Amino acid sequence: MAGWDVFRELDNLRREINEAFRGAGVSHPLATAFLSPAVTRRFPLVNFSEDEGNVYVDALLPGVDPGEIDLSVLRNTITISGERKPFEPKEGQIVHRSELGSGTFSRTLELPVDIDPDRISAESRNGIMRIRLAKAEHAKPKKIEIKLS
């Protein structure tokens, strides 16, 4: 005898509600609002770090074409913006779940130090974009030699 699983029952209820709205002309009424500006989470998610000479931003951007990402730097802020295209099912394909979400996004981060705007690079690999921003010379730590007297 199989036990009662509350999570399975809730998932079944969610599917039935989705099916009920599908016939009413409402597409994906409970679709995940990934990248939606109405969501309280901020996208893209980032890791933000620095070492002696650089500031690094790793932005999670799966499914976003790197060529369509807008990256800009103004004084001590960096802005990452773009759009994740919606999932387009192929003809004859039945969609059971569509949770990845789509839409435009923008994230602005305040940098902790001044950077050199001529030494910024970005690369994208496996859905993560790494931005390397070189610190301005005056923002780098300097070792001060102490003279013995």
Side-chain angles (χ1 to χ4, degrees):
M1 179 173 149
W4 185 71
D5 184 290
V6 67
F7 295 110
R8 185 174 16 167
E9 292 300 319
L10 288 171
D11 192 49
N12 288 339
L13 176 62
R14 183 191 55 78
R15 287 178 197 219
E16 289 177 16
I17 291 171
N18 280 346
E19 286 299 318
F21 279 99
R22 185 176 296 173
V26 178
S27 63
H28 311 293
L30 299 176
T32 304
F34 182 78
L35 300 176
S36 167
V39 176
T40 56
R41 289 179 62 185
R42 305 174 94 192
F43 290 97
L45 300 175
V46 298
N47 285 345
F48 196 9
S49 61
E50 69 178 292
D51 61 19
E52 196 170 293
N54 299 290
V55 174
Y56 303 95
V57 177
D58 295 319
L60 184 63
L61 295 163
V64 179
D65 181 356
E68 296 185 14
I69 296 171
D70 185 27
L71 177 64
S72 61
V73 176
L74 178 63
R75 288 187 286 274
N76 66 337
T77 62
I78 181 169
T79 301
I80 306 164
S81 58
E83 179 179 7
R84 184 174 187 182
K85 304 290 184 200
F87 172 71
E88 296 289 336
K90 296 176 183 166
E91 187 173 322
Q93 187 177 17
I94 298 170
V95 178
H96 294 283
R97 285 187 184 247
S98 180
E99 298 178 343
L100 298 180
S102 61
T104 59
F105 61 87
S106 181
R107 179 100 188 249
T108 299
L109 302 166
E110 187 172 339
L111 301 170
V113 296
D114 289 341
I115 57 158
D116 182 346
D118 296 325
R119 297 190 319 164
I120 300 171
S121 62
E123 63 181 38
S124 182
R125 181 181 297 164
N126 299 328
I128 297 175
M129 183 174 65
R130 170 160 266 214
I131 307 162
R132 181 174 163 253
L133 307 111
K135 290 182 179 178
E137 287 302 319
H138 68 271
K140 292 180 181 177
K142 293 183 180 165
K143 186 168 178 93
I144 308 296
E145 184 179 335
I146 301 172
K147 296 179 182 174
L148 297 174
S149 56

